[in-house]
Amino acid sequence: MARFFLSPEDIREERFFLRGEDFHHALRVLRLREKDSVVLLDGKGSSFLGRLDHLGKKEASGVLTGPAPSAGDLPITLACALLRGEKFDWVIQKSTELGVRRIQPIVTERCVSNGEKLSRWKKIAKEAAEQCERLFLPEILPPVPLASLELEEISLFCSERGGEKLPSVLNKLELKDFSILAVVGPEGGFTPSEGELLVSKGAIPVSLGKRILRAETASVAVMSMLLYRFLAEDSFPA
């Protein structure tokens, strides 16, 4: 069933409205017709079933028919260094699919990127969230320098120069009711001074194994391990 994240003004008085790109996607790509059922989400935790009953030239609308079940998110912020080309787009897409709550781009000494693309990143996250049946849209924040990064109750950063293996660290932590920050560096990793800065702020250095992973691969590996840990504790939100 097709899913659409809509703004609050497009879900009101027992009706919903598809406009702009959502309208084009519904009619031109999915070829939806009157009486077809859809799922509508407001990105803040509410989801509804709906049925199309009007197809216009610039918008479509329908009636809400009841609540819809959907998957939640994980209490995880992924802070990833900006990457070149479409690599950061890929990080946004895959971490959204894996349940990240917030994505914080960071600027580090070894960053090589094409700059901030906040509107593009939000669009990628929205499309990924619709595809994987998420209930919440992840928050995509503007880039900040590493020194300005705010840590969470549990903060971990990927280190190429030591650190306990991430699965071992996670097995020692009580994750329930805590927020987690996972920090991943750029191509080439963190500089020694950046690693020292993170440790001084209370972050725990962790290892993903002996292989040197690409930055985008490391981001997905961290998210996958955290998802597994939450599933093992049966604390993944429904």
Side-chain angles (χ1 to χ4, degrees):
M1 193 179 300
R3 305 171 69 84
F4 299 92
F5 279 95
L6 303 181
S7 59
E9 57 266 26
D10 288 332
I11 304 176
R12 63 179 189 274
E13 297 178 356
E14 303 302 319
R15 292 192 64 79
F16 67 92
F17 301 85
L18 301 179
R19 301 185 173 99
E21 291 185 1
D22 289 327
F23 171 73
H24 179 271
H25 187 68
L27 270 67
R28 308 303 180 208
V29 179
L30 300 178
R31 299 189 179 279
L32 297 180
R33 296 293 180 259
E34 290 183 3
K35 298 184 180 180
D36 283 347
S37 295
V38 294
V39 176
L40 299 316
L41 306 102
D42 64 3
K44 299 179 180 179
S46 297
S47 59
F48 311 90
L49 294 173
R51 184 176 63 251
L52 287 165
D53 61 13
H54 173 73
L55 304 179
K57 292 184 178 181
K58 294 185 177 181
E59 71 173 36
S61 61
V63 61
L64 301 179
T65 58
S70 189
D73 59 4
L74 294 168
I76 298 170
T77 297
L78 174 65
C80 181
L82 291 171
L83 305 174
R84 290 183 296 181
E86 297 181 351
K87 293 180 179 180
F88 201 81
D89 296 352
W90 193 83
V91 170
I92 296 285
Q93 182 188 64
K94 300 309 174 188
S95 57
T96 297
E97 292 176 13
L98 289 167
V100 72
R101 178 171 294 174
R102 186 179 298 106
I103 299 173
Q104 174 63 76
I106 53 176
V107 180
T108 67
E109 293 182 32
R110 292 173 176 165
C111 269
V112 180
S113 76
N114 297 327
E116 178 182 330
K117 301 177 181 178
L118 202 57
S119 60
R120 173 181 172 82
W121 296 336
K122 289 182 178 180
K123 180 180 178 182
I124 291 170
K126 176 177 178 289
E127 292 173 350
E130 289 173 344
Q131 181 273 323
C132 68
E133 301 189 359
R134 283 186 57 149
L135 188 59
F136 295 87
L137 281 174
E139 183 180 7
I140 314 295
L141 300 172
V144 298
L146 179 65
S148 301
L149 180 65
E150 295 185 5
L151 271 57
E152 298 283 358
E153 297 156 303
I154 299 174
S155 296
L156 314 167
F157 75 95
C158 297
S159 173
E160 299 175 357
R161 299 176 179 82
E164 191 173 352
K165 291 181 180 179
L166 179 55
S168 298
V169 173
L170 294 178
N171 285 336
K172 298 175 183 178
L173 296 175
E174 177 62 50
L175 301 184
K176 190 174 182 180
D177 300 325
F178 283 97
S179 296
I180 298 174
L181 172 69
V183 189
V184 179
E187 298 166 359
F190 293 115
T191 64
S193 61
E194 288 174 331
E196 292 171 3
L197 171 65
L198 287 167
V199 170
S200 70
K201 296 175 71 172
I204 303 170
V206 296
S207 169
L208 299 180
K210 295 181 179 180
R211 296 179 180 86
I212 301 299
L213 304 180
R214 294 181 182 273
E216 65 271 24
T217 307
S219 296
V220 173
V222 168
M223 282 299 305
S224 298
M225 292 183 194
L226 287 168
L227 172 59
Y228 175 82
R229 185 69 171 82
F230 275 95
L231 289 172
E233 282 196 358
D234 197 26
S235 56
F236 184 62

